[in-house]
Each structure stands twice: as C-alpha cells, then as structure tokens.
Amino acid sequence: MEVRVRYAPSPTGLQHIGGVRTALFNYFFARANGGKFILRVEDTDRERYSDESLQDLFDTLEWLGITWDEGPVVGGPYGPYIQSERFDIYRKYAEQLVADGKAYYCYCTPERLEKLREEQQASKSEQQGYDRHCRNLTAQQRADYEAQGIRPVIRLKVPMDGKTTFHDVLMGDISRRNRDVSPDPVLLKSDGFPTYHLANVIDDHLMHITHIMRAQEWIPSGPLHILLYEAFGWEPPVYCHLPMVMGKDGQKLSKRHGSTSVRDFRAKGYLPEALMNYVSLVGWSYDGQTEFFSKEELEKVFSLEKINKAPGVFDYKKLDWFNGQYIRRKSDAELAPLLVPYLQEAGLVDTPPTISQQEIVDKMVPVMKERLKVLSDIVDLSRFLFVVLPPPSVEELLPKNQDAATTLKALEEGYAILRSGLEDELSDETIEQALSDLAGKLAIKVNGVFMPIRVAVTGSSVSPPLFDSIRLVGFDKTFARIERAIEILKDEVHKNG
RNA sequence: GUCUCCAUCGUCUAGUGGUUAGGACAACGGGUUUUCAUCCCGUCAACAGGGGUUCGACUCCCCUUGGAGAUGCCA
C-alpha cells in the first residue's frame, strides 16, 4: 500500500521549529518510501486564524524546498485541502454520529463550562472536564433549549467503562481507561466548525492517510481518536508520535527561549540547508556519527526506526555551528548575493548596489566567509568598508601597556614603511617583516605596531587580516585614515607633554 | 489533582546482555596567526537511584525519583 502522510498545521501563528520538524519528518518519510506528502490546512479556529500565518506557511515550506504532492494550490484527488472549505462534510459526519447514538447535542453555555472548570480546579476534583450534563437530555429538555435559541455543540459519547488502546510505532501499545479519556469532547462547535479531533479523523480517513506522524503532545488524544474511528467504523492509520522539541530549561520550546519562528531564523541569516540539517537531528539520527545531510540524502535515508523517544533540547549554538559550516561550503559567487540584502537593510550599500559597492562586496566575500556564523554578521564585520569612519579615540589606538608617545612613533614609522612598501608593490610578507623589524627596533611587541594601524584603518581592534582590509578599503582611504590617527596621537602627546 | 509518555556526557546522540560506553556541539587548554575567525591537536564530561532476572546488565522486569505533555466550543 502506498504511504500517504500529511502535515496539517493550523494558520494561527508563524511556523516554528517544532512544526517544521514535524513537516520535515513527514516529508522525508514519504519520500524515503516513495509515498505521497500531503499538506492540509486546519483553519477551523476562526478566532485565531490569520492570513499572515497561512502565507508564512507557504513561504516557509518554499524556503526549505519542501513541496507537497497534494494540498492547497496544487490540489489533488481528495480535496479541498483547506478545512474551512470542507465545512459541510464535518456537520454531516457529526450528525450521523448523533443519529447513531454515538454523539449528542449539548446546550451548555461557555459560562457554565468555565465555572465548572474553575470549581473543579479549585477543589482538585478527581473528575476534571465536562460533567456530561447534556448526555441524557429528554426530548422535552432539548426542545426547551432549542426554543431558547441556543445553538448546540455536538459532543462524543465516550464510553464510561472499558479501555481503549492504540499502537504507536515508537512507543508500542498505549492504553487508557475510557473513564480517563477526555469526557465527551466537543466534535462540532456551535459555529458549525469542527474541532481538531473531528476534522482530523474525518480528513485523515477521507484522504487515505496511512501514517500519522505528529508531536507527542497528541498522545493523550490517541485513545479518543481511536474511539472516533470506531464510532465511524473506520480503520485507524499507523501512529508515530514524535518527541517534542524543548528549550534550554526543558520546557516546550517557546518564544522566551529565543527565536522559534522559521521567519526569524531566516531573517537573521540562517541558511535553509543548515536549519533543515540541524532540525532533522533533533529526535532523529542516522548512525550517531554522520552529521551532514543534504535534503536529498534525508529523502533517501530517513526512517522511523531511528527516531528517538525522549524529547530533545533545541541547541542554538549547534545550529550556529552548522550554519557556519554551510556558509563556508558556499562558493564566493553563491555567497555574495546572499549577503547584499543585509548590507542594503543596514544602509551600507544602495539598492541596487553601485558598481564600486558591488566590487567591494565581491572582493570581501572570501575574506569574510570564515568569519560568519549567520549572514547578518556581515553588517558589523564589513561596515568599515562602506562608511565614513568616525575618528578613533586615543584609548582605541593604544595597544595594551603601550603609551601614546611610543604608539605615535610606531604608527608614524610603521606608516612610512607600509606606504612605501605598498607603493613599491612589495609583497605582503616583505612589508610584514619590515614592520616586525620596526617593533624589534622600538623594543615593543609586534602587536604594538600592527594594532594601531589596524584600528586606524578598520576602526576596530578586531578585523579581517590587515593587508586584506587595506586592499578592501583602498590605498587612498587607508593612508588618510592612518594620517588622521597620527594627528590624534600627536595631539595627545602634546597635550601631556 | 488525575491520566499518559519519557530517562546515556551541560546539549544532540550511538549503543539493543559481555565495549577502554563511541561521535558531534559547547566549555577548557594548546598549535597555526599581526587581531578576530577558520583550521588542527588535546582535556574535561554520562548510563538518575534502588531492587530483581542472569554466569554477566547502560541494555530485560518492578518500584522510587525526576522531567514533560494532556486534562478547552486551540490545534
């Protein structure tokens, strides 16, 4: 039988790491088994629905390169794949359940239910949840409620005794006494929309889903879903509950742990291949040894058996490492255009970049590449190439344990050596050696010569290699910046002097 | 409160009765280097606890502890 799996997010927020991990696992599983990957939009919560979320879903999957065989936009034989467009289907099935005596109308108001819940929580009652108030209403009572104009919900009549078991590929058999199953959950809301439980079961059946891979937070609902399948007389699919993705503190990953939406990661300059690679390794491993996987490899090699049961902590540091690795694997030509948008956003280059700006970008890529963890790092790293640098302070110009007079001398003489060396087109090594010799002559550390030059030229004590930086900045600007620094030091020396 | 699930280095994990318990990230130390970064080398670091089963348990069973999730007219 052909494998058919689905990712069924609800467009009530941005796609986050956990959701995407679920999507990826489903997608890889489908591909690895020559099956179909189906996308279904579960937009039955009208309160929280947003167009932005739906768009974000599409953007995210596209960015990751995840395509679906059936779903919105592409269609398919069991559509529509957007639940709000399947509105009538759910009522039909829910009413059939009522007709079969497996579900019933409930007229309880949200207010009553809220009060009930509060009381139960306060009294730490053993029975939490709906009290089945409407489970056995007489025809007369129902008529009275109807007369009041109350729009009822439909609730499932969960058996009061016995137990329900479902099988999970990873976890084995999981069973629950029926009295511990959610007491008569709502299937169809008063607005006519289905709840997750109803829509999910109906659609998975109608769409011939063979395997359900979803987060472990759904385990408690497993028996309930089995009960629904039984009520309809349908065969349940194979279940595989995925370990949850946690934050550093072991709690379910959320905003307070940092960025969780794919959109944020993308904006900061994470590469899709890096994010995909790393996320795939949370809760799944190949051999505990191999760690780099391309999308194509994962589509071949992914398997359910290697999924871990225990929840995994999302490690931002390791993601950074992966991202750096993937950045370094890019060719310069590939990387340059990825960097430009960050420079534009920071106002360092024009849109489109001028010819000279583009020249600098192309030239700086090989130098910057190994210094990037995320693409946006390029902004601070390369700022000195694009802006008029503010004059450095004396403190910035002075290396550790070196006074202004000495530094001035080192910078003046160093500048002379550097300038003539560059103008005579001597090799970098030759000029470096001459500058080192100068340090020896002045009886100071090598750094005492190089650092003031670096700060003068780049505005920072941390920069790409000096000669690379100088070439990138250009000789004229370099000389001007050094001369300015010399003046600053001169002023300082005279002032104290 | 009740129910369900889970448990190997700080983190992600390999391991399915006999291993010096392996790898990666992080941390730390060192090397390369004019700074930073990259790169290379090394160090630290784990089977939650207690009972069983067995000739032998990280591996199987039970209990405890710890963690998580569910308990909505949200998914």
Side-chain angles (χ1 to χ4, degrees), chain A residues 17-124:
Chain A
I17 294 300
V20 160
R21 207 274 313 261
T22 300
L24 252 22
F25 281 19
N26 275 283
Y27 172 80
F28 293 143
F29 180 68
R31 288 289 169 271
N33 291 281
K36 293 277 195 294
F37 174 66
I38 293 136
L39 180 65
R40 185 172 73 221
V41 176
E42 308 219 328
D43 59 344
T44 55
D45 183 346
R46 299 178 314 160
E47 300 281 316
R48 297 195 303 150
Y49 171 86
S50 82
D51 284 328
E52 187 195 10
S53 302
L54 186 60
Q55 189 55 49
D56 181 69
L57 167 66
F58 294 144
D59 290 347
T60 296
L61 293 180
E62 186 189 354
W63 184 65
L64 290 168
I66 302 299
T67 54
W68 52 99
D69 304 300
E70 295 172 28
V73 187
V74 302
Y78 305 108
Y81 293 87
I82 295 181
Q83 289 185 331
S84 58
E85 294 173 14
R86 303 168 64 79
F87 188 82
D88 296 335
I89 297 175
Y90 308 114
R91 172 168 294 278
K92 189 188 115 198
Y93 280 101
E95 284 176 347
Q96 180 196 315
L97 248 28
V98 174
D100 294 347
K102 304 208 163 127
Y104 60 90
Y105 290 104
C106 166
Y107 300 87
C108 293
T109 61
E111 293 70 31
R112 186 182 108 76
L113 297 174
E114 178 59 25
K115 193 165 157 248
L116 179 68
R117 191 170 11 236
E118 274 171 24
E119 286 169 0
Q120 287 171 337
Q121 269 166 12
S123 67
K124 302 248 184 243

Side-chain angles (χ1 to χ4, degrees), chain A residues 98 103-109 112-113 130-135 137 142 145-146 150-156 184-186 188-190:
Chain A
V98 174
Y104 60 90
Y105 290 104
C106 166
Y107 300 87
C108 293
T109 61
R112 186 182 108 76
L113 297 174
Y130 184 52
D131 59 0
R132 297 175 155 122
H133 177 267
C134 298
R135 182 156 162 143
L137 254 31
R142 261 206 315 274
Y145 281 125
E146 292 286 350
I150 298 177
R151 300 178 48 161
V153 301
I154 292 179
R155 287 181 183 272
L156 180 70
D184 297 4
V186 171
L188 200 72
K189 309 181 219 178
S190 57

Side-chain angles (χ1 to χ4, degrees), chain A residues 276-296:
Chain A
M276 177 179 293
N277 195 152
Y278 175 62
V279 167
S280 298
L281 259 18
V282 179
W284 179 85
S285 69
Y286 177 65
D287 56 5
Q289 201 79 198
T290 318
E291 47 197 354
F292 285 97
F293 294 94
S294 66
K295 176 162 151 285
E296 292 68 27

Side-chain angles (χ1 to χ4, degrees), chain A residues 400-421:
Chain A
K400 269 203 169 29
N401 304 321
Q402 189 167 300
D403 63 34
T406 309
T407 304
L408 173 60
K409 197 167 172 57
L411 187 55
E412 280 181 320
E413 294 194 29
Y415 175 45
I417 293 168
L418 179 70
R419 177 159 193 160
S420 65

Side-chain angles (χ1 to χ4, degrees), chain A residues 169-215:
Chain A
V169 175
L170 262 27
M171 240 67 79
D173 283 341
I174 297 176
S175 47
R176 224 172 152 172
R177 288 175 310 216
N178 288 334
R179 48 178 264 228
D180 292 326
V181 171
S182 176
D184 297 4
V186 171
L187 263 22
L188 200 72
K189 309 181 219 178
S190 57
D191 64 4
F193 277 86
T195 58
Y196 168 81
H197 304 296
L198 211 225
N200 200 257
V201 165
I202 291 175
D203 286 346
D204 283 340
H205 176 258
L206 260 26
M207 294 178 183
H208 298 84
I209 301 302
T210 59
H211 297 69
I212 293 184
M213 270 177 269
R214 48 143 64 153

Side-chain angles (χ1 to χ4, degrees), chain A residues 384-402:
Chain A
F384 74 98
L385 299 176
F386 299 103
V387 302
V388 175
L389 238 38
S393 67
V394 175
E395 295 71 45
E396 288 168 327
L397 284 167
L398 296 186
K400 269 203 169 29
N401 304 321
Q402 189 167 300

